[in-house]
């Protein structure tokens, strides 16, 4: 799952085998892994926070680009052709006067806050070393809240100032840095392992399961290893998944409540995970001995909140007035808003699902076992939002004809492409990146040029994919 476009990439299995059962099993576990990112991202407060930060950043980029004076447009081209990003942490303040100076600072703060929360490795070393982390977080959370007030978030008082309390430290373990991205990845691997409780996966080549166990010895398994070390004992995979779900549901000002102040340890998922794992010391839960159930998981969350002193974040706002993908594709809005409109519309359904069946999100892999397995074939009503709505298979764009037609699906893809290009325009050099988009779109010269023209019409810049 590439978060720049919200498209699931599901290519042919890489398993070299003539065993059809194993080949299908390999494809299936990969699908479970990748689609679990979608479910946890849209079904958690930190995922919704990231969606809103991304939208705010893209909207600012769209405004900034469309209002660039001629001399700044020329400077943008000169910088990129010289291998220098137009907006740069290292070079700020590159633009010494005017509105552009403030737009650059706000955009860099939003970009910084997004990657600080998701994966600081997305930032350059000098970014985290020299940038004001607290100012970036507080200003970005405040800007996002003001932009989303009364719609996706609760009303924002005119005099509100968001405060992030405590030391803004990252989390390092003996296995390396613990990040929100690693939490997502570890949970996805555990979801894959859940599949071997089912009858089908037990018939596949045992090497598939052995491969996953080896993966847990690497970066993606560092979360499990850290949890065991912090708890001082072995923890079952089901308990680790519940810890990760607790960690991903941060307390977010404006989303969880109208309180403008939050402690960094309640906001930052890796810190939440560490604190929660420590609370497991000397405490055994039902999740360690039985199949995960809604009741057992909810009880675990309540007890964990009490033992850790951390609150479980929630969503008190509606998130979206849209109810269908067709509305997201057809209601007039700026191209920068289409992808987040889809994300927030899907996310708006998942808090209710969490209240009814938390395990469908916290233990995503169980959706493919026993009677729940029918959800993979034809999701129950209200369950379809747990699964990625757009996919790329063997380079080709795929969508559900039940929800959108060709024209509507194309419009949503164009919106994803244009919005994801803003980062490259302002903070990149060289040709625009397209690894997060369908390969076939760029294999056809005519389609690629048509997309380049849409980007030019949207930004006023003569830039595009495959162009230096």
């Amino acid at each position: 799952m590439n978060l720049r476009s919200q498209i699931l990439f599901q290519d042919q299995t890489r398993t070299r085998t003539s065993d059809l059962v194993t080949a299908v099993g390999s494809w299936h576990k990969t699908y479970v892994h990748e689609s679990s990112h979608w479910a946890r991202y849209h079904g958690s407060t930190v995922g919704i926070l990231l969606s809103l930060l991304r939208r705010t950043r893209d909207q600012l980029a769209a405004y900034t680009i469309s209002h660039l004076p001629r001399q700044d447009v020329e400077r943008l081209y000169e910088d990129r052709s010289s291998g220098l990003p137009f907006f740069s942490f290292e070079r700020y303040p590159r633009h010494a006067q005017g509105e552009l100076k403030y737009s650059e600072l706000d955009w860099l703060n939003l970009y910084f806050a997004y990657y600080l929360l998701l994966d600081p490795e997305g930032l350059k070393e000098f970014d985290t070393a020299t940038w004001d982390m607290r100012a970036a977080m507080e200003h970005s959370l405040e800007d996002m809240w003001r932009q989303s007030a009364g719609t996706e978030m609760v009303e924002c008082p005119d005099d509100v100032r968001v405060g992030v309390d405590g030391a803004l430290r990252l989390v390092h373990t003996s296995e390396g840095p613990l990040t929100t991205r690693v939490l997502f990845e570890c949970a996805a691997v555990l979801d894959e392992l859940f599949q071997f409780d089912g009858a089908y996966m037990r018939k596949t080549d045992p090497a598939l399961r052995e491969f996953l166990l080896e993966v847990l010895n690497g970066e993606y398994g560092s979360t499990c290893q850290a949890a065991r070390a912090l708890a001082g004992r072995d923890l079952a995979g089901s308990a680790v998944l519940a810890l990760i779900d607790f960690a991903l549901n941060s307390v977010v000002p404006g989303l969880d409540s109208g309180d403008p102040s939050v402690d960094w340890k309640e906001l930052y998922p890796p810190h939440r995970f560490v604190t929660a794992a420590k609370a497991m010391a000397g405490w055994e839960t039902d999740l360690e001995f039985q199949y995960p159930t809604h009741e057992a998981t909810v009880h675990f969350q309540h007890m964990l909140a009490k033992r850790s002193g951390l609150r479980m974040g929630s969503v008190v706002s509606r998130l979206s007035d849209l109810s269908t993908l067709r509305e997201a594709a057809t209601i007039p809005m700026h191209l920068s808003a289409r992808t987040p409109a889809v994300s927030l519309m899907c996310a708006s359904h998942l808090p209710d699902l969490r209240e009814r069946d938390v395990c469908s999100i916290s233990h995503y892999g169980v959706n493919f076992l026993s009677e729940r397995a029918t959800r993979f074939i034809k999701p129950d009503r209200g369950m379809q939002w747990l699964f990625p709505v757009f996919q790329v298979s063997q380079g080709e764009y795929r969508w559900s004809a039940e929800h959108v037609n060709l024209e509507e699906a194309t419009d949503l893809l164009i919106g994803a492409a244009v919005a994801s290009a803003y980062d490259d325009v302002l903070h990149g050099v060289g040709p625009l990146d397209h690894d997060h988009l369908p390969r076939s779109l760029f294999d056809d010269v005519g389609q690629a040029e048509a997309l380049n023209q849409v980007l030019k019409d949207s930004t006023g810049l003569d830039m595009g994919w495959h162009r230096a």
Side-chain angles (χ1 to χ4, degrees):
M1 175 66 64
N2 190 305
L3 297 180
R4 292 187 71 180
S5 57
Q6 300 289 28
I7 296 174
L8 181 146
F9 284 77
Q10 180 68 32
D11 292 328
Q12 288 181 317
T13 175
R14 292 187 294 273
T15 302
R16 296 178 180 177
T17 178
S18 58
D19 178 356
L20 181 60
V21 172
T22 298
V24 173
S26 178
W27 182 94
H28 170 71
K29 73 178 187 61
T30 303
Y31 177 86
V32 171
H33 180 112
E34 297 300 333
S35 60
S36 77
H37 295 326
W38 167 280
R40 286 194 175 86
Y41 186 89
H42 294 86
S44 67
T45 59
V46 74
I48 295 167
L49 168 58
L50 290 168
S51 290
L52 291 170
L53 283 171
R54 164 70 190 278
R55 184 183 67 176
T56 305
R57 181 173 94 230
D58 286 348
Q59 288 177 333
L60 176 59
Y63 174 85
T64 300
I65 292 171
S66 64
H67 288 78
L68 282 177
R70 178 181 297 275
Q71 64 269 25
D72 288 321
V73 172
E74 293 173 354
R75 188 184 307 156
L76 183 149
Y77 282 114
E78 291 173 0
D79 286 353
R80 287 181 59 85
S81 62
S82 302
L84 300 172
F86 189 61
F87 281 2
S88 167
F89 293 96
E90 189 177 34
R91 302 169 67 211
Y92 178 83
R94 173 67 176 83
H95 312 285
Q97 59 184 4
E99 183 181 359
L100 186 59
K101 173 183 177 181
Y102 300 103
S103 294
E104 180 180 19
L105 178 59
D106 288 343
W107 189 92
L108 289 172
N109 278 337
L110 287 162
Y111 185 93
F112 186 95
Y114 179 93
Y115 281 102
L116 185 65
L117 285 169
L118 178 62
D119 185 5
E121 291 185 1
L123 301 166
K124 304 295 185 184
E125 183 178 354
F126 56 77
D127 297 346
T128 54
T130 62
W131 207 249
D132 188 332
M133 294 173 61
R134 186 177 305 279
M137 286 303 309
E138 293 180 342
H139 292 162
S140 295
L141 291 173
E142 188 175 309
D143 289 346
M144 175 196 69
W145 191 354
R146 292 189 186 284
Q147 291 293 326
S148 306
T151 51
E152 296 83 13
M153 305 181 80
V154 300
E155 290 292 343
C156 182
D158 291 338
D159 60 347
V160 73
R161 291 293 181 269
V162 173
V164 180
D165 303 325
L168 273 65
R169 296 193 181 96
L170 303 181
V171 175
H172 299 277
T173 72
S174 59
E175 306 299 326
L178 180 62
T179 68
T180 303
R181 179 189 67 83
V182 171
L183 292 177
F184 277 117
E185 293 291 359
C186 177
V189 174
L190 293 174
D191 285 329
E192 288 186 81
L193 281 171
F194 252 115
Q195 304 314 296
F196 291 89
D197 290 341
Y200 184 86
M201 292 299 288
R202 288 200 298 267
K203 296 178 182 178
T204 63
D205 189 326
L208 287 183
R209 187 174 184 276
E210 295 303 317
F211 170 75
L212 289 176
L213 293 175
E214 289 181 11
V215 169
L216 285 177
N217 289 324
E219 179 191 22
Y220 291 178
S222 61
T223 301
C224 292
Q225 296 162 30
R228 295 184 186 116
L230 291 164
R233 60 187 177 84
D234 194 27
L235 292 177
S238 183
V240 175
L241 282 171
L243 285 172
I244 292 173
D245 186 66
F246 185 85
L248 294 177
N249 282 278
S250 309
V251 176
V252 179
L255 189 64
D256 181 88
S257 71
D259 186 351
S261 180
V262 65
D263 193 279
W264 178 243
K265 289 187 177 180
E266 283 211 300
L267 176 67
Y268 189 49
H271 268 304
R272 292 176 59 85
F273 183 83
V274 167
T275 303
K278 288 179 179 178
M280 295 291 292
W283 172 47
E284 293 185 340
T285 74
D286 290 343
L287 287 176
E288 298 181 67
F289 308 105
Q290 67 179 44
Y291 190 79
T293 64
H294 173 76
E295 293 73 18
T297 304
V298 170
H299 177 71
F300 173 86
Q301 291 171 346
H302 288 322
M303 291 298 296
L304 189 59
K306 184 180 296 185
R307 292 178 64 89
S308 68
L310 299 177
R311 293 170 290 171
M312 178 80 172
S314 61
V315 178
V316 299
S317 52
R318 188 178 177 183
L319 290 182
S320 176
D321 291 327
L322 304 178
S323 57
T324 66
L325 280 176
R326 179 158 285 117
E327 290 176 334
T330 57
I331 291 179
M333 65 181 75
H334 193 275
L335 286 173
S336 64
R338 294 238 181 252
T339 295
V342 171
S343 290
L344 293 168
M345 187 270 290
C346 293
S348 69
H349 294 273
L350 297 186
D352 289 339
L353 177 59
R354 178 177 284 277
E355 290 295 318
R356 301 193 312 268
D357 183 11
V358 65
C359 291
S360 62
I361 301 174
S362 63
H363 297 74
Y364 183 75
V366 303
N367 289 306
F368 304 86
L369 299 176
S370 64
E371 68 276 3
R372 294 171 177 254
T374 57
R375 295 175 177 172
F376 176 56
I377 302 170
K378 186 174 178 58
D380 305 333
R381 183 177 180 181
M383 296 294 297
Q384 66 264 34
W385 312 114
L386 272 177
F387 303 93
V389 294
F390 300 112
Q391 300 181 25
V392 169
S393 179
Q394 300 182 51
E396 296 286 344
Y397 181 46
R398 311 287 187 193
W399 64 91
S400 172
E402 180 181 354
H403 298 296
V404 287
N405 59 31
L406 172 61
E407 182 178 355
E408 292 159 349
T410 301
D411 286 345
L412 288 171
L413 176 62
I414 290 172
V418 171
S420 65
Y422 292 139
D423 283 359
D424 292 337
V425 170
L426 292 178
H427 194 55
V429 296
L432 303 181
D433 186 26
H434 59 83
D435 289 345
H436 56 289
L437 297 169
R439 184 178 63 249
S440 61
L441 187 63
F442 301 97
D443 289 341
D444 185 313
V445 175
Q447 285 187 340
E449 284 305 311
L451 187 58
N452 288 341
Q453 186 60 48
V454 173
L455 180 64
K456 181 178 180 180
D457 293 342
S458 175
T459 64
L461 302 175
D462 190 13
M463 299 179 64
W465 290 269
H466 293 325
R467 296 179 181 174

